[in-house]
């Protein structure tokens, strides 16, 4: 089964990337893997505090994931899987693609503000020729109707 890998973060454009991945998976018989990455600098505290913060971050990610997962199951008939990694975002995305041979497409949401499409889109598109899978960049300002039309 081909999986669509989509990154779960706190960005607004993440929503359209999730929708697109679920819709494409539903229409093509694929799956969705949701990857959330905890940056390393988030836990540069004392060991006890660091462990507590890490656990709270994981719980927040799982709650966030469940919102998307419920929508994917109920509306698209897709049961996504969650993977949480710690490290630098681009390195962890590439490592996940390398470790899971079923990942066939990386789906990223593009921001629509003046700062550009976002750091992940910018960094990964610069190296897109050497990536092992294609990238689909979903504009953050597409409506649900527009997403349905293109999936």
């Amino acid at each position: 089964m081909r999986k669509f890998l989509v990154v779960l973060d706190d960005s607004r454009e993440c929503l359209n990337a999730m929708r697109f991945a679920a819709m494409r998976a539903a229409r093509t018989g694929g799956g969705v893997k949701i990857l959330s990455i905890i940056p390393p600098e988030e836990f540069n505290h004392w060991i006890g505090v660091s462990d507590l913060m890490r656990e709270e971050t994981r719980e927040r990610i799982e709650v966030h994931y469940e919102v998307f997962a419920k929508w994917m199951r109920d509306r698209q008939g897709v049961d996504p899987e969650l993977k949480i990694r710690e490290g630098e975002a681009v390195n962890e995305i590439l490592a996940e693609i390398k470790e899971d041979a079923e990942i066939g497409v990386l789906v990223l949401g593009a921001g629509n503000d003046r700062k550009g499409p976002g750091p992940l889109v910018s960094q990964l598109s610069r190296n897109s020729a050497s990536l092992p899978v294609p990238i689909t960049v979903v504009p953050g300002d597409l409506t649900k109707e527009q997403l349905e039309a293109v999936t």
Side-chain angles (χ1 to χ4, degrees), residues 48-66:
V49 174
S50 177
D51 291 343
L52 180 61
M53 289 178 66
R54 182 177 284 109
E55 185 58 36
E56 288 173 353
T57 300
R58 286 182 173 276
E59 288 173 10
R60 183 180 47 80
I61 288 168
E62 288 170 6
V63 167
H64 200 174
Y65 160 78
E66 277 305 322

Side-chain angles (χ1 to χ4, degrees), residues 91-108:
N91 293 340
E92 296 305 321
I93 291 168
L94 295 174
E96 189 63 33
I97 291 168
K98 185 177 181 181
E99 290 172 17
D100 188 343
E102 291 183 332
I103 293 172
V105 179
L106 172 61
V107 180
L108 299 173

